[in-house]
Amino acid sequence: MSKNRKYAAILAYEEQFAKIVALQIRASRPKPVWHFFVPFMMVFEYLAAKKEIGLFVRNFLFGRKLALNAARDTIDGKDRQNKPAEMGLQIREWLSANALYSPHMHQKQIALADLLFKHYSLLFKAEGKGHASLVRNAYVNRVDYESFLQKLSATENEIDRLTLQMRGESAELESQISVKQKGIAALRAKDTNQIFRR
C-alpha cells in the first residue's frame, strides 16, 4: 500500500469516526414533538444538523490532520525536529481563534498531537490494505494498542475538562461532553474488537 493510500485510509477513518460521534451528540438532544409537524422544519433541522456536524468534524480533525501531515512529511525524509514547533504554533493560533487559548490547554493539545503523530508514524511504517490492517500490523498486540487508546482518551478527557472550565460550566455542555466521551469509548471498543478478532 502506497504512502498516499495509507494517508487517505487513515484520514477517511478519522473523518468517519468524527461524523459518527457528532451524530450521536446531535441525536442525544431531544426535540419537541411539534417540531416535526411544522412545515419545512425538517429542512431547517437537516441544515442545522449538517452545519453542526461539519463544525464538530473540523474541530475534531484539526490536531489529527496536523499530526497526520507531520507523520507523512517525516516519512518523506523531511526534518522531524521542526515539526513539534510548527504544530505548536498552528495549535496556538487555532486555540486563540476559538477563544480557548491558555498555556495549559496549549500544552495538552500539543501532547495530543504528539501522541497522534507517533501513532500515525507507526501506521505509515506498517503494511496493510486498509486502516484496520495497518493498526493490526503496527502494534505488537491488542494490549499495546489499547494502551495507546487509554493515553489518547486520558488526554482528550483532560482537554474536555479544560474546555468546560474555560467555556463556563453548563448542564448542556456537560451533557454534550459526556455523550461525546461515551460515544468515543464505545466506538473505540467496537473498532478494537473488529481489528483484533480472536
Side-chain angles (χ1 to χ4, degrees):
M1 192 175 191
S2 71
K3 176 197 66 189
N4 289 339
R5 289 183 68 191
K6 287 178 184 177
Y7 181 94
I10 296 165
L11 184 57
Y13 170 81
E14 295 289 11
E15 285 175 343
Q16 186 61 25
F17 189 96
K19 284 177 186 173
I20 292 169
V21 174
L23 283 166
Q24 289 175 345
I25 293 168
R26 182 81 186 173
S28 72
R29 286 192 224 117
K31 309 270 185 308
V33 176
W34 64 262
H35 187 92
F36 298 102
F37 296 104
V38 176
F40 305 111
M41 190 56 81
M42 291 298 287
V43 174
F44 292 126
E45 172 63 21
Y46 169 78
L47 293 173
K50 188 175 178 183
K51 182 178 178 183
E52 186 178 320
I53 289 165
L55 180 62
F56 179 90
V57 170
R58 278 193 304 279
N59 286 331
F60 188 84
L61 290 180
F62 177 80
R64 282 162 174 78
K65 280 187 176 178
L66 282 182
L68 185 57
N69 291 340
R72 179 192 57 196
D73 289 348
T74 55
I75 292 295
D76 283 342
K78 293 182 182 172
D79 186 13
R80 181 182 174 173
Q81 288 182 333
N82 292 331
K83 290 300 169 190
E86 288 172 19
M87 287 195 297
L89 182 59
Q90 288 176 289
I91 289 168
R92 184 185 185 113
E93 289 171 356
W94 177 72
L95 287 172
S96 296
N98 286 282
L100 278 172
Y101 178 79
S102 76
H104 195 193
M105 176 67 91
H106 188 225
Q107 177 190 12
K108 287 297 173 186
Q109 289 282 359
I110 289 172
L112 177 63
D114 187 57
L115 193 58
L116 289 164
F117 170 81
K118 290 172 184 169
H119 168 65
Y120 296 143
S121 294
L122 285 175
L123 298 190
F124 274 116
K125 291 173 187 172
E127 292 301 322
K129 293 182 178 179
H131 180 266
S133 60
L134 289 175
V135 171
R136 193 166 43 251
N137 294 329
Y139 288 85
V140 176
N141 52 48
R142 180 184 179 128
V143 173
D144 287 351
Y145 183 59
E146 286 178 333
S147 175
F148 156 71
L149 290 179
Q150 286 171 0
K151 290 174 191 170
L152 183 62
S153 293
T155 307
E156 290 170 336
N157 292 348
E158 179 61 12
I159 287 169
D160 286 340
R161 187 189 69 76
L162 289 171
T163 301
L164 189 59
Q165 200 175 66
M166 293 174 79
R167 289 281 189 233
E169 295 184 19
S170 70
E172 184 181 345
L173 185 55
E174 281 181 25
S175 173
Q176 181 178 328
I177 287 173
S178 175
V179 170
K180 182 184 94 167
Q181 290 177 349
K182 287 175 186 172
I184 286 173
L187 268 177
R188 284 183 179 154
K190 180 183 172 187
D191 287 349
T192 301
N193 285 335
Q194 289 176 344
I195 292 166
F196 296 96
R197 285 181 185 149
R198 300 187 182 198

